[in-house]
């Protein structure tokens, strides 16, 4: 017997024309609408991390100039809220269909954003091969594929690699998260390379430490003239 399809948020049985969420829960998704704002809380937090990194590595006189990095997320993520089930279904339960559905929604927002519609490469945050082997897939890659299907920008998994197996970030504090992923990624320049705007994709932006580690790895092979933006399904608000 087939189990009835249920809403990921409230658990109500879905109607034939509803997908993953019932109509009421779909209408109540806590959308960020960050794609409408060049400067938004997520982008500000990510750019602050970039500046902190630059100040820690270079003296003021030799510090390279970084343009403001763009960032967007589909919805506000609350670890205790019911909408967390969206990303949990993708990450922990292998629900690829959920990743494609909400990744497509994120892709529509990226495609409609004037400052992101020139993205020419989408790079999902990579998993270490051991974790990918045990999980069977990379949730960030599922989301990236869905974004690609809408925007037309190709997914590139040949540029960024996770070179060190790290602990899960879930239960770590801010400083521990940053230390956990520091130096965990490496990048190589593709040949030929004519990229101008890269979009890094992950499931949830919490502190931004993982995306920041990816950013610094990419900067070892791509100069500041190549813009690096970020997009995720969820964004954890607050300080």
């Amino acid at each position: 017997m087939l189990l009835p399809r249920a809403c990921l948020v409230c658990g109500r049985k879905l109607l034939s024309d509803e997908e993953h969420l019932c109509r009421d829960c779909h209408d109540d998704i806590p959308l960020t609408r960050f794609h409408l704002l060049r400067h938004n809380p997520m982008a500000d937090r990510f750019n602050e991390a970039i500046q902190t990194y630059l100040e820690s590595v270079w003296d003021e006189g030799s510090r390279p100039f970084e343009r403001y990095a763009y960032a967007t997320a589909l919805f506000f993520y609350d670890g205790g809220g019911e909408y967390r089930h969206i990303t949990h279904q993708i990450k922990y339960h292998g629900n690829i269909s959920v990743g494609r559905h909400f990744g497509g929604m994120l892709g529509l927002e990226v495609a409609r954003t004037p400052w992101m519609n020139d993205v020419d490469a989408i790079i999902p945050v990579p998993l270490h091969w051991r974790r990918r082997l045990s999980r069977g897939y990379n949730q960030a890659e599922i989301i990236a594929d869905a974004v690609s299907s809408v925007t037309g920008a190709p997914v590139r998994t040949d540029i960024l690699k996770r070179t060190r197996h790290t602990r899960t970030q879930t239960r770590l504090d801010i400083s521990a998260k940053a230390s956990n992923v520091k130096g965990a990624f490496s990048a190589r320049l593709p040949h030929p390379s004519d990229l101008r705007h890269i979009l890094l994709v992950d499931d949830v932006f919490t502190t931004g430490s993982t995306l920041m580690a990816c950013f610094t790895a990419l900067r070892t092979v791509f100069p500041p003239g190549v813009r690096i933006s970020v997009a995720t399904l969820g964004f954890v608000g607050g300080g």
Side-chain angles (χ1 to χ4, degrees):
M1 295 179 63
L2 295 176
L3 293 175
R5 299 182 309 124
C7 175
L8 296 178
V9 172
C10 71
R12 183 181 67 77
K13 182 179 178 181
L14 294 178
L15 301 176
S16 60
D17 62 339
E18 295 174 333
E19 190 172 3
H20 305 302
L21 300 181
C22 69
R23 189 168 290 104
D24 289 341
C25 290
H26 189 279
D27 290 344
D28 288 340
I29 296 177
L31 299 173
T32 68
R33 304 196 188 281
F34 287 163
H35 67 292
L36 301 176
L37 302 169
R38 284 180 184 264
H39 292 253
N40 60 60
M42 179 175 170
D44 287 345
R45 190 185 298 179
F46 191 61
N47 280 276
E48 182 179 353
I50 292 173
Q51 289 307 310
T52 299
Y53 164 74
L54 293 176
E55 291 169 5
S56 70
V57 175
W58 283 280
D59 295 330
E60 185 173 357
S62 59
R63 194 174 302 152
F65 172 74
E66 277 284 352
R67 294 178 294 174
Y68 187 82
Y70 302 136
T72 191
L74 183 62
F75 64 90
F76 288 102
Y77 178 95
D78 179 354
E82 296 303 317
Y83 285 91
R84 75 186 188 280
H85 294 304
I86 292 174
T87 55
H88 284 197
Q89 279 290 316
I90 307 166
K91 189 170 184 176
Y92 302 116
H93 301 289
N95 199 327
I96 305 303
S97 177
V98 170
R100 290 171 178 164
H101 178 80
F102 291 97
M105 289 178 63
L106 177 63
L108 284 173
E109 293 193 347
V110 170
R112 293 167 180 166
T113 303
W115 45 90
M116 282 190 175
N117 62 15
D118 63 341
V119 166
D120 50 12
I122 299 173
I123 299 180
V125 172
L127 287 180
H128 189 268
W129 68 266
R130 281 161 53 189
R131 183 161 293 161
R132 177 161 187 148
L133 184 64
S134 64
R135 187 174 294 170
Y137 63 95
N138 177 2
Q139 71 277 3
E141 195 170 326
I142 301 302
I143 298 166
D145 284 342
V147 173
S148 172
S149 69
V150 177
T151 63
V155 174
R156 300 292 300 268
T157 58
D158 60 323
I159 297 174
L160 188 64
K161 300 294 180 184
R162 189 184 290 254
T163 54
R164 181 166 58 83
H165 187 63
T166 57
R167 299 164 56 195
T168 180
Q169 298 275 81
T170 306
R171 299 184 184 277
L172 302 180
D173 61 23
I174 294 175
S175 60
K177 285 180 177 179
S179 298
N180 188 44
V181 294
K182 184 177 181 181
F185 302 92
S186 66
R188 71 178 188 86
L189 189 66
H191 299 288
S193 176
D194 55 355
L195 300 181
R196 292 293 177 264
H197 192 168
I198 293 169
L199 183 66
L200 271 171
V201 170
D202 204 3
D203 54 350
V204 178
F205 185 109
T206 306
T207 64
S209 56
T210 299
L211 286 163
M212 189 62 213
C214 292
F215 177 94
T216 56
L218 289 171
R219 272 290 175 257
T220 64
V221 295
F222 291 105
V226 178
R227 186 182 291 279
I228 301 174
S229 300
V230 296
T232 62
L233 288 186
F235 170 74
V236 178

